[in-house]
Amino acid sequence: MELLLQLAIILVASKIAGDISVRLGQPSVLGKLLIGILLGPAVLGIITETTTLEQISQIGVILLMFIAGLETDLNEFKRSGKAATYVGLNGIIVPLLVGYGTGIVMNMSTVESLFLGLLLSATSVSISVQALKELNKMQSKEGSTILGAAVIDDVVVIIALAFLMSMAGGDVNLSMVIVKKVLFFGGAFFVAWKVVPWFLKRFVSLKVTETVITAALIICFLFAYAAEITGVAAIIGAYIAGIAISLTDYKNEVFEKVETIGFSIFIPVFFTSIGVKASFDGIGQHLGFMVILSIIAILTKLVGAAIGAKMARFSWNSSLAIGAAMVSRGEVALILATIGLETKLITQELFSILVVVVLVTTIVTPPMMKYFFKKGENQKLIKNQLRKQA
């Protein structure tokens, strides 16, 4: 029964906080993240992290990325391949090098320093996806580039982590890690091309209610599960599933119903749960290091990804907006940090610091995105007005 009360509190609080955030000129997702901190153990302690809430949260982020896939313009996505590669790789190289150097300066071991660099190289666009939706940029060239870069980032960082763990003496078969990734993407693309349309047509013919949305969710969850067990993030599997269904005649019906299901309960729980995870125990002892590391985390991803976007001939404002969207480390970095702790690549003390840094990067991403996207739009308006006057 306590779960029902917590869900009711989360839904009320997240919607009100999101509304306040919008009224203050910020994306609603920012308010949802902050209200999670307020409600969680770090402040009021009204909401506590439980296994059930975590599972609901996982469904939320999977549905969010599934919706992103449904909204993706595949032709634009293909055209953005080169730009996504530049953004993804530059967004890894710069944080990796600076993170490693920071670790060495802070007297960390070589392994800890490399892991710090890898963790700062990770990105999670689940928060950025919501901001893109609110800014009407999901189907833009920038949106496609951001999503493509996130896929590249995830694959490269996971493989690099496996390589580091094998170097550190962990029981990791690097070749098997790579083979699993190849099998997943090869299998996922084949299933999306041949099996998904066939399955949808057969399943919707069943003489029961809501067969279309049920079939779509089955596809979404199976793709997410396959991604997870092959070492690719579940959100990438869900995103590919969304793209697969977007190429069928059922796209609009699936989108409308999944959006209703997702944003009514699961997605608000996901956003709020990120804040609930916040813990500021012992923060005073390492406050200076946390501030420095947070600044490094923000700037390295922002600058690295922006340079990649500029190499792909985006304007500076669009490049910085793309860089801002890549700043959030979100649940991907939290998963990596947990792996690092469990395999003793990092200490408990460093783990606690990294959790706060990840939270900071997640919170600053939506307002940064809005600032750079709006700045770019305003400059375009000014240029158009000057042309008309001329």
Side-chain angles (χ1 to χ4, degrees), residues 156-216:
V156 173
V157 169
I158 292 296
I159 291 175
L161 176 62
F163 182 73
L164 177 62
M165 290 171 67
S166 64
M167 282 179 56
D171 186 19
V172 177
N173 188 327
L174 182 60
S175 59
M176 185 56 65
V177 170
I178 296 173
V179 168
K180 284 183 178 180
K181 301 278 184 297
V182 172
L183 287 175
F184 168 74
F185 283 103
F189 292 142
F190 176 79
V191 171
W193 176 38
K194 290 292 186 181
V195 180
V196 167
W198 174 85
F199 176 75
L200 281 168
K201 287 179 182 178
R202 297 297 182 275
F203 200 88
V204 298
S205 65
L206 298 178
K207 304 301 181 182
V208 288
T209 58
E210 300 296 350
T211 50
V212 173
I213 185 61
T214 301

Side-chain angles (χ1 to χ4, degrees), residues 219-236:
I219 293 166
C220 171
F221 293 148
L222 285 177
F223 269 69
Y225 175 74
E228 191 71 22
I229 63 173
T230 53
V232 179
I235 57 176
I236 301 300

Side-chain angles (χ1 to χ4, degrees), residues 127-175:
I127 301 299
S128 302
V129 162
Q130 179 61 19
L132 287 170
K133 285 174 65 65
E134 294 182 29
L135 295 168
N136 294 317
K137 295 290 183 180
M138 271 296 299
Q139 297 181 343
S140 65
K141 186 178 180 181
E142 291 88 349
S144 297
T145 299
I146 290 164
L147 290 164
V151 175
I152 293 168
D153 189 295
D154 177 72
V155 173
V156 173
V157 169
I158 292 296
I159 291 175
L161 176 62
F163 182 73
L164 177 62
M165 290 171 67
S166 64
M167 282 179 56
D171 186 19
V172 177
N173 188 327
L174 182 60
S175 59

Side-chain angles (χ1 to χ4, degrees), residues 14 157 296 348:
S14 65
V157 169
I296 289 172
Q348 178 64 53

Side-chain angles (χ1 to χ4, degrees), residues 378-388:
N378 291 337
Q379 288 192 356
K380 285 181 182 178
L381 288 174
I382 292 171
K383 287 181 180 178
N384 290 334
Q385 289 174 354
L386 291 174
R387 285 174 185 169
K388 290 179 181 178

